């Protein structure tokens, strides 16, 4: 059975693993990003900053649609980056946002390796100095 739901807004995201943790950059919203130490923390911040950014346009769907994922800007993907989509309900509630991982087109036999690489990236824990662990 298919449950009919209101369509969601979709935002393209570039995720980067850095030496200090993670960065999430919104592909169609210049200068909007989130940073954190763990991937879960960074994703939480990304949902919050996206919701805050969109809030002034809450009653103007056309304005929000201008920022949704329509085209993929040119960027250099490497072993420490991956693409995702964030879907957003029309009430812009960050607690209802969802992340979907995008895997590059590849042979079926290599798909598990691509998924494993993303899995390793999001489980990464940066090195912390002993003063940070106190």
């Amino acid at each position: 059975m298919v449950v009919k739901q209101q369509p969601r807004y979709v935002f393209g995201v570039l995720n980067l693993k850095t030496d200090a943790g993670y960065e999430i950059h919104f592909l169609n919203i210049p200068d909007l990003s989130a940073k954190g130490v763990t991937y879960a923390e960074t994703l939480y911040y990304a949902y919050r900053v996206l919701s805050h950014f969109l809030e002034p346009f809450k009653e103007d769907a056309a304005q929000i649609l201008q920022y949704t994922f329509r085209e993929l800007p040119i960027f250099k993907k490497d072993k420490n980056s991956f693409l995702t989509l964030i879907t957003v309900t029309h009430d812009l509630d960050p607690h209802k946002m969802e992340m979907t991982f995008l895997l590059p087109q590849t042979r079926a036999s290599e798909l598990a390796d691509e998924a494993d690489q993303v899995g390793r990236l999001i489980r990464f824990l940066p090195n912390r100095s002993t003063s940070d662990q106190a």
Side-chain angles (χ1 to χ4, degrees):
M1 179 170 115
V2 176
V3 177
K4 198 167 193 172
Q5 294 181 335
Q6 187 175 26
R8 292 176 169 241
Y9 298 114
V10 178
F11 298 88
V13 175
L14 175 62
N15 301 267
L16 301 171
K17 179 185 82 101
T18 68
D19 291 338
Y22 295 89
E23 296 178 7
I24 291 179
H25 299 273
F26 292 88
L27 296 173
N28 296 101
I29 308 175
D31 303 322
L32 189 66
S33 63
K35 292 182 181 181
V37 176
T38 66
Y39 187 72
E41 173 187 54
T42 310
L43 184 57
Y44 170 80
Y45 293 148
Y47 290 166
R48 301 297 296 190
V49 299
L50 181 58
S51 179
H52 181 74
F53 176 83
L54 296 174
E55 189 64 33
F57 313 118
K58 192 170 190 170
E59 303 303 322
D60 188 356
Q63 183 68 33
I64 292 174
L65 288 171
Q66 290 183 28
Y67 294 107
T68 57
F69 189 60
R70 294 175 311 282
E71 58 188 32
L72 184 62
I74 295 173
F75 69 94
K76 183 181 178 195
K77 183 184 172 316
D78 63 23
K79 66 180 181 155
N80 291 321
S81 66
F82 56 97
L83 294 173
T84 57
L85 298 176
I86 292 179
T87 58
V88 179
T89 56
H90 283 254
D91 62 3
L92 309 179
D93 184 347
H95 300 98
K96 296 178 186 173
M97 293 182 186
E98 295 179 355
M99 174 77 70
T100 301
F101 293 88
L102 299 176
L103 297 176
Q105 180 177 339
T106 187
R107 294 188 304 245
S109 61
E110 296 172 358
L111 192 57
D113 292 338
E114 291 289 341
D116 286 345
Q117 179 183 351
V118 171
R120 282 190 298 279
L121 286 175
I122 64 174
R123 286 188 300 271
F124 167 79
L125 293 175
N127 293 327
R128 295 185 177 196
S129 68
T130 53
S131 62
D132 289 344
Q133 294 175 357

